[in-house]
Amino acid sequence: MFEDIHWTLGDAPKEQGVYIIAVETLGMVTTSASYWNPVDGWASISPDDKVKGFIPLEEVTNKLPYFWKSDDEPPLTEEQIKRAKARGIRVD
């Protein structure tokens, strides 16, 4: 499911947005999510932290199954699928 998602090594992406980031703090690397823009940089890290890599959050969430989908619910009708696709909603 996630085999084609890879970390981009570096400290800043080219496009603003929300990213999963690998952050080095005092020699330990942890992961979190943060917003980045070219003017302000990362929103949720301290100046002493070093970003080692990042993945666009949308890239990961698009691979996840929808949380509201359950086996108890009837499948979507063709009309519901058609309307969802027309609105740009991904239907698996």
Side-chain angles (χ1 to χ4, degrees):
M1 177 187 283
F2 295 103
E3 293 84 14
D4 57 339
I5 297 176
H6 302 282
W7 289 96
T8 299
L9 301 180
D11 60 355
K14 294 179 182 172
E15 296 180 20
Q16 71 182 29
V18 179
Y19 293 84
I20 295 173
I21 55 176
V23 180
E24 182 179 354
T25 306
L26 301 172
M28 293 181 59
V29 178
T30 59
T31 59
S32 66
S34 183
Y35 177 78
W36 183 87
N37 73 62
V39 175
D40 301 316
W42 294 106
S44 66
I45 67 168
S46 70
D48 296 335
D49 294 343
K50 277 183 81 173
V51 174
K52 302 300 250 176
F54 50 88
I55 303 170
L57 182 62
E58 185 176 355
E59 192 174 320
V60 175
T61 56
N62 283 340
K63 295 285 184 177
L64 294 170
Y66 292 110
F67 70 91
W68 60 82
K69 202 171 186 180
S70 78
D71 295 335
D72 298 339
E73 296 178 28
L76 295 175
T77 66
E78 290 298 319
E79 182 61 29
Q80 289 172 316
I81 292 171
K82 184 177 169 183
R83 282 187 281 145
K85 287 183 177 180
R87 293 175 50 202
I89 299 171
R90 192 181 98 215
V91 180
D92 292 333

